[in-house]
Every structure is written in C-alpha cells, then in structure tokens.
Amino acid sequence: MQTLAITIFLIWATITAAIFVFVARSGRSPGELPLKAYKRNRIFALLGLSMSAIVLLYFTLPLTPYPDEGAAPDRVIYVSGKQFAFKLSDKPISREDALDDEVFLSTKPIQAGELIEFRISAADVTHGFCIYDRAGRVLTQTQAMPGYVNRLRHRFSESGVYPILCFELCGIQHYTMKTQLEVVDNATALSAVASK
Ligand SMILES: [Cu+2]
C-alpha cells in the first residue's frame, strides 16, 4: 500500500513539475495572443473538466457512507474524548462524567454485521476518533470536537478486538490516548445470552 501511494505521488509530482516547466518556458516569448484559439480551448477545457467531474462522481458517490444514512442504526454508542482517554458508553455521557477520572464507562460487546452509529464529542480540546483493524489499517475515523456531536456509522464485518486511537495531536501525551472495542459473532452473542 505504501509503495502504491509513493508511486502515485511520484507520477503526479512529475506531471505537476512538467506543467510548471512548460508554463515557465512558454512565458519567455509571449508573442501575439491567439484570442480565437484561446477562447475555443477554454470552452473545451471547461467541457472536459465538467465531463470528468460527472464521471468521477458517478463512480465514487456510491462508495461514500451516505447510502446507509436513511437506515436506523442497530446500535448507538456514545463517545467522549478528553486529554488523554476515550470513554465509550451505551448512554449519553455528561461532561462531568467525561472529565472525571474515577468514572469508568463501558459498552456491551458489538455484534458483527450490526450498523453502529457512534456519537462522538470531546470534553476539552479536539481529538480524533480512529478505529483500526488488527492489521493496523484505518477502518473509519472522524474528529471528536468539544461542543459538537459527530456521527460516524460503521458495520464491523468480523469479530475481534479493534484498537481505537486518537488521530489528532491533542497534547503532550496524545500518543497514550487509546482504547479498544470488542466485536463478537452473532453466534457467540446468542450463546452468551442462552448461558445466562
Ligand atoms: Cu490525541
């Protein structure tokens, strides 16, 4: 993935540098401005860009999280960030509880496949709420901001323990700001209920 990213970056950087060199060189001998050709090219450029934008939107819009927006979530989990910890709860978290180090909150395990809506806020400064998979790849993320509730929807396809890390440099101990989320299979959740 890193190799792909650096390759794409290098290709774009080369194209951008080539355009700069071309423009810088063509500016040396201004000559007569061919007004007719300039106007025609401008229309072609506008049409070309508009068409590319429409095609790009057609292929990428369905990939955004919005198609889930109409559905009611199976579960709502409240999240509050503070320097330097996250609190997750099945009930809304008051500012006092968010700031109190003695108050411990937790959530019931999530079932794989459920549509989860995280309602994320912060008690002091802006933090990031970033869920990783076990391989260390980012699954989804948003900011945790004081005074705002950001909604983040996600469906965990597999059971497991998912690390959550702060994604925003929020202070000197930012790197210690982490928690985790347990996701269980439907079968495991049902047997846990049955054994009670
Ligand atoms: Cu942080």
Side-chain angles (χ1 to χ4, degrees), residues 14-29:
T14 311
I15 293 171
T16 312
I19 292 171
F20 269 92
V21 171
F22 174 75
V23 172
R25 285 175 68 91
S26 66
R28 270 195 203 152
S29 50

Side-chain angles (χ1 to χ4, degrees), residues 107-123:
T107 57
K108 289 177 286 181
I110 287 169
Q111 287 181 40
E114 279 184 322
L115 176 61
I116 309 295
E117 180 174 296
F118 295 96
R119 295 191 185 161
I120 305 157
S121 193

Side-chain angles (χ1 to χ4, degrees), residues 3 31 61 63 79 121 141 159 177 194:
T3 324
L61 265 185
L63 302 174
V79 179
S121 193
Q141 65 95 18
S159 59
M177 190 164 165

